Amino acid sequence: MSWSKLNKTINAHSVIPLDALSCRDFGVNLPVNFPFNKAKFTCQALAMLSQLNDYDLKMVCADIIQICANPNAQNSIKHSRNPLRRLWRTKYPFRNYHFLIEYSLKNNFINLEDILFDRQLQGAKSNFAAERTMLYEVERRSNHTYNKAMKRKEIEQIQGAWDPVPTPTTQVNTQHAAVNGMQNELTKAAWLMGTHLDRAYEGDGIKAYTLFHNPTDYAKLDLIECAFDKRSGTKSHNAQHLAAVLAQNSQQGKQVKWLAHSQGAIIFCAALEHYRIYYGKPLTGQQLAVHGSGSNIERLKRIAHSTGLKVIAVRNNPYDLVPNLAGRNDLSSSSLVRSMKFKGLVTDGSVGESPHTLPFLGLVTYAAQLEMLGNNEKADVVRKFIKTLPPTDARL
């Protein structure tokens, strides 16, 4: 969050002094160390605070406390390059959060005028690592969707089916929501998660969804983040943030259909572990579909069951090394061979060729997809594998 001191007198909004108890009357739970003796709020600022989940509120309050300690500080929009802060994911990897605090000084008090999204920090960035973990509402622009093997031009149309400039939001206000995987900058995450949601919840006619954007720090740091969230102990800021979003949905009685793809499944699993420890109430109104899971499915299902959240469907391509090896969902020798043969398509293949990027529609469709894009060699490999499977195999 960056700070902007107003060079004017207090505005027409009412200014309210609060204490640890009275703030709860406005739906805001401020930390015990909050400097109530130094700060006052306008109704506008309180209204914004009341919409924030626990994680956002904690981060905003930390910046307000800094303002109270040094109200004449300069605007501080800076991106930390300290390698330790980039890797130790329990600490937020930026020096400031993605809200803008507007405040003024009057009678030795800091009057918090407004709290809003900082336009300089939200949205897509040319340096993908500068994007923020945020909620965005993404609207559909066309009915193009991935439901069969497609030509390259048709796949390009799918990429334009969702708004590339989504709207920041403080909470989930849609029936559907998604958590994207690694190496997904905001623009890619917006269309790709919409595409996966279409297949995860067939027939829902999704017109808009909420993206919990997991920004990319590029491949190496993304992999470190995955390993961090798989370990026991304190989880990444992404997982803690998502746990707070799940808690807010539960507190508001919202029915939300989630989709987690790739690293998104790792973050979701870690978020559920964090939720189980720090919140605990059943998440019975929410459900999850998992695609290309970077997390072990059985472990994810156990943790989800313990929180009351139901995992309703899983789609993993048998040639995808992410669920097979990284997620440890199939460590058989045949899985290892398949994964290694198609490793290049996961790391360097096109969107349509990769067994990991688009939703898995079955092996028959995947073979047809490879052939349609001119990769006859890999299509033949898939078709030979299909011949070894019984006709009732769900992967067909």
Side-chain angles (χ1 to χ4, degrees):
M1 179 178 292
S2 53
W3 311 333
S4 177
K5 186 170 68 173
L6 301 178
N7 295 319
K8 59 182 179 180
T9 59
I10 193 168
N11 61 29
H13 291 171
S14 299
V15 176
I16 306 172
L18 298 174
D19 57 34
L21 293 177
S22 61
C23 68
R24 297 177 186 176
D25 294 334
F26 296 90
V28 178
N29 291 317
L30 298 177
V32 292
N33 65 331
F34 191 86
F36 292 102
N37 61 327
K38 295 182 180 180
K40 295 181 180 181
F41 296 86
T42 65
C43 291
Q44 176 64 27
L46 281 171
M48 184 62 170
L49 284 177
S50 68
Q51 295 181 46
L52 301 183
N53 58 62
D54 291 345
Y55 186 85
D56 283 340
L57 182 62
K58 178 182 73 172
M59 300 299 288
V60 169
C61 285
D63 278 348
I64 293 175
I65 291 170
Q66 288 187 49
I67 292 173
C68 291
N70 186 8
N72 292 308
Q74 297 297 311
N75 189 294
S76 57
I77 299 175
K78 293 180 180 178
H79 179 214
S80 174
R81 291 297 181 185
N82 182 332
L84 292 178
R85 293 191 72 189
R86 299 292 296 171
L87 300 183
W88 189 252
R89 305 300 295 197
T90 49
K91 294 185 178 180
Y92 194 70
F94 298 92
R95 292 179 183 174
N96 42 58
Y97 209 45
H98 50 258
F99 287 87
L100 182 72
I101 302 174
E102 291 186 348
Y103 68 98
S104 61
L105 302 177
K106 188 174 182 181
N107 299 329
N108 295 321
F109 270 93
I110 292 171
N111 291 329
L112 297 158
E113 308 280 354
D114 202 356
I115 298 168
L116 59 158
F117 286 113
D118 192 331
R119 293 184 180 180
Q120 296 183 58
L121 303 181
Q122 70 187 44
K125 305 296 177 187
S126 56
N127 173 20
F128 301 149
E131 294 178 353
R132 302 302 181 98
T133 302
M134 292 177 61
L135 291 175
Y136 291 94
E137 190 164 317
V138 188
E139 294 187 353
R140 184 185 285 278
R141 302 174 71 189
S142 75
N143 290 324
H144 294 293
T145 189
Y146 187 68
N147 55 10
K148 61 181 180 179
M150 292 183 172
K151 298 178 181 178
R152 208 173 302 275
K153 187 175 182 179
E154 292 176 301
I155 293 175
E156 290 174 357
Q157 289 178 323
I158 293 170
Q159 295 177 28
W162 296 90
D163 190 347
V165 187
T167 304
T169 180
T170 57
Q171 54 189 267
V172 178
N173 294 314
T174 57
Q175 186 181 6
H176 301 84
V179 186
N180 63 279
M182 61 183 286
Q183 292 188 274
N184 280 192
E185 75 279 5
L186 179 59
T187 303
K188 180 179 180 180
W191 73 260
L192 185 57
M193 293 306 97
T195 302
H196 276 273
L197 278 165
D198 277 344
R199 298 285 66 80
Y201 298 101
E202 302 263 7
D204 279 11
I206 303 171
K207 298 300 181 184
Y209 77 95
T210 302
L211 172 67
F212 180 93
H213 183 222
N214 160 41
T216 179
D217 282 328
Y218 301 98
K220 289 183 179 180
L221 291 180
D222 282 359
L223 288 171
I224 290 172
E225 187 175 64
C226 290
F228 187 95
D229 267 337
K230 284 187 174 184
R231 60 184 278 282
S232 59
T234 305
K235 302 304 179 182
S236 70
H237 70 86
N238 279 346
Q240 293 179 40
H241 194 169
L242 179 58
V245 173
L246 292 171
Q248 185 180 54
N249 290 341
S250 179
Q251 290 160 8
Q252 295 175 346
K254 291 178 177 176
Q255 307 286 316
V256 181
K257 298 179 179 180
W258 286 92
L259 176 281
H261 177 240
S262 189
Q263 186 196 3
I266 298 174
I267 294 171
F268 212 103
C269 187
L272 290 175
E273 290 184 279
H274 184 84
Y275 180 92
R276 185 171 58 182
I277 295 171
Y278 293 95
Y279 295 97
K281 293 183 179 180
L283 293 170
T284 51
Q286 300 176 73
Q287 57 185 271
L288 173 67
V290 183
H291 291 183
S293 179
S295 176
N296 180 268
I297 292 298
E298 291 306 314
R299 179 168 180 263
L300 175 56
K301 285 183 175 179
R302 285 197 304 272
I303 295 168
H305 179 74
S306 71
T307 64
L309 184 141
K310 186 177 181 181
V311 178
I312 62 162
V314 177
R315 289 177 186 250
N316 290 330
N317 191 322
Y319 286 90
D320 185 357
L321 66 85
V322 175
N324 288 349
L325 307 184
R328 302 178 67 84
N329 289 291
D330 188 349
L331 298 177
S332 65
S333 57
S334 60
S335 170
L336 178 62
V337 171
R338 289 195 305 271
S339 299
M340 290 301 99
K341 281 184 178 180
F342 281 65
K343 177 184 177 183
L345 293 185
V346 174
T347 57
D348 299 308
S350 68
V351 168
E353 289 176 300
S354 170
H356 183 67
T357 306
L358 292 174
F360 176 54
L361 304 181
L363 286 167
V364 174
T365 302
Y366 183 50
Q369 180 65 76
L370 290 168
E371 184 177 40
M372 193 167 287
L373 295 178
N375 198 332
N376 295 317
E377 179 186 350
K378 288 293 192 287
D380 288 342
V381 171
V382 176
R383 289 194 173 108
K384 286 180 182 178
F385 178 59
I386 289 173
K387 291 179 181 179
T388 68
L389 301 176
T392 56
D393 196 299
R395 297 172 291 178
L396 295 175

